[in-house]
Amino acid sequence: MTLFTPVSSPNRPIRFLVVGAGQMGRAWLQVLNESPDVEVAGIVDLDLELARGAAESAGGETSVDTSVSRLAKRTGAVAAVNVTIPEAHHLVNSEALESGLHVLCEKPLAPTVSMALRTAAVARSSSRLLMVSQSRRYLHALSAFRGQLAEMGEVGFLVAEMYRGPHFGGFRERMPHVLLVDMAIHTFDAARFLLDGDAVSVYCEEFNPKWSWYAGASAATAVFEMSGGRRFTYSGSWCSAGFETSWNGRWRASGARGTALWDGEGAPQLDLDDGGVLVPDLARTGPEGIAGALAEFVTALRSGISPSGEASRNIGSLAMVEAAVRSAQQGKRVRIADVLSSALTRAMADEPDGEQHDLLASVLLN
Ligand SMILES: NC(=O)c1ccc[n+]([C@@H]2O[C@H](COP(=O)([O-])OP(=O)(O)OC[C@H]3O[C@@H](n4cnc5c(N)ncnc54)[C@H](O)[C@@H]3O)[C@@H](O)[C@H]2O)c1
């Protein structure tokens, strides 16, 4: 099924709006400005001064506004990067898609799976591409680690831990389930990528240590059953100073023929039972992180081929987050299938237009 209409002038730079001129918005502006494939047509933020400041530091004459639809019309933009806070993602994505823009949205696609389903349905009804930027997928070292898993025979265990103590200020220090919703999605999505499969169920405990400076739970431990009976265990904290792990976590994979380790930064190591320790030369070519996500988005827009981050393909990662939160709240194991089906029921109830219901259901069929 063709999900979106590719851009009509494939050789011209694609004109982008950046929506959200905060910390990450500025990182996106730099990546967009460095890419020969795109140009920044305008910047949107509810805080117009912030948008102006970002425009000035990006150099050149960049239009600013508080409204996506207005600036889309004024600039003739074709696409948008949504770098607003998670609570605003659904509204901003819907407005951009309905204004005819293709959208590359920062993770998480939405705070809940039901809202993500509704956003993905808007993309389908407007024949525009909605892709989620899960920037870790574009790390060369993660891809090398994935290659090692493929050499280990059947993989039984995948273990990730992420312990850091950042003081962000802003929305993160107020939001509920902050570690699971704003950070663990990266690690959960990486686990799906590494195992090339989806989660079946999870048992999770989340908590907030006494010294935590976050209002929501900033630490969690989860055990996922993944497809094929494999286990993925996650343990993380955002209020743990000292001996910090990489932002990408520290990983161990154990399989029938050996074990692979990755510290989240350098080259991963593979120890096979019939050989010594192997450390690959990392291919340092090609864009990484959000620049990698942008490259995949642009290729998709020009070719019409659905990217790995297309919204409906990202729902499995968001469902892992929601299932983990639900498990922590209920104190019991939660099945991913139950999370998806209750999200669909909720999305249909929240969507008064009955014609959208088939679209909502179709999102889960991918
Ligand atoms: N991939 C990564 O490694 C990574 C790292 C940091 C942040 N992020 C993600 O990037 C997003 C933004 O994070 P941040 O740290 O830049 O947040 P931030 O709070 O610094 O910036 C968000 C900006 O969005 C603006 N905004 C909010 N609602 C809006 C709306 N309806 N319309 C227009 N503008 C709106 C705010 O005014 C603010 O300027 C989040 O989804 C976050 O999870 C990803």
Side-chain angles (χ1 to χ4, degrees), residues 282-362:
L282 290 184
R284 295 279 180 202
T285 52
E288 284 198 292
I290 59 173
L294 177 65
E296 191 182 14
F297 185 66
V298 166
T299 301
L301 288 185
R302 290 188 166 149
S303 65
I305 296 169
S306 181
S308 67
E310 190 273 319
S312 64
R313 297 165 78 177
N314 182 258
I315 299 257
S317 302
L318 202 56
M320 288 173 79
V321 171
E322 195 157 310
V325 169
R326 193 179 293 180
S327 168
Q329 286 170 330
Q330 298 179 350
K332 62 180 194 193
R333 189 169 167 155
V334 169
R335 283 168 17 98
I336 300 292
D338 293 340
V339 167
L340 293 174
S341 104
S342 62
L344 183 59
T345 305
R346 172 78 196 263
M348 286 181 174
D350 288 344
E351 180 50 72
D353 179 357
E355 285 183 15
Q356 292 290 317
H357 289 187
D358 287 346
L359 271 181
L360 282 167
S362 76

Side-chain angles (χ1 to χ4, degrees), residues 19-26 28 44-47 50 66 68 82-86 88-89 91-92 106-108 133-136 170-172 181-182 186 290:
V19 191
Q23 239 171 324
M24 200 61 194
R26 285 174 181 250
W28 271 104
V44 178
D45 201 295
L46 295 180
D47 181 341
L50 206 63
T66 54
V68 174
N82 183 354
V83 209
T84 60
I85 56 173
H89 284 180
L91 275 181
V92 168
E106 257 300 346
K107 47 55 63 177
S133 170
Q134 293 280 175
S135 54
R136 305 316 195 257
F171 73 91
R172 290 185 185 82
V181 172
D182 198 58
H186 281 303
I290 59 173

Side-chain angles (χ1 to χ4, degrees), residues 82-147:
N82 183 354
V83 209
T84 60
I85 56 173
E87 286 68 22
H89 284 180
H90 174 67
L91 275 181
V92 168
N93 286 333
S94 301
E95 185 181 345
L97 292 162
E98 283 164 352
S99 305
L101 303 179
H102 300 279
V103 179
L104 178 54
C105 180
E106 257 300 346
K107 47 55 63 177
L109 176 53
T112 63
V113 177
S114 77
M115 207 171 259
L117 289 174
R118 291 175 65 201
T119 320
V122 175
R124 293 210 171 170
S125 63
S126 54
S127 299
R128 291 294 176 270
L129 172 60
L130 174 62
M131 172 175 152
V132 185
S133 170
Q134 293 280 175
S135 54
R136 305 316 195 257
R137 283 194 175 222
Y138 308 95
L139 296 177
H140 300 321
L142 184 73
S143 292
F145 187 47
R146 188 184 198 225

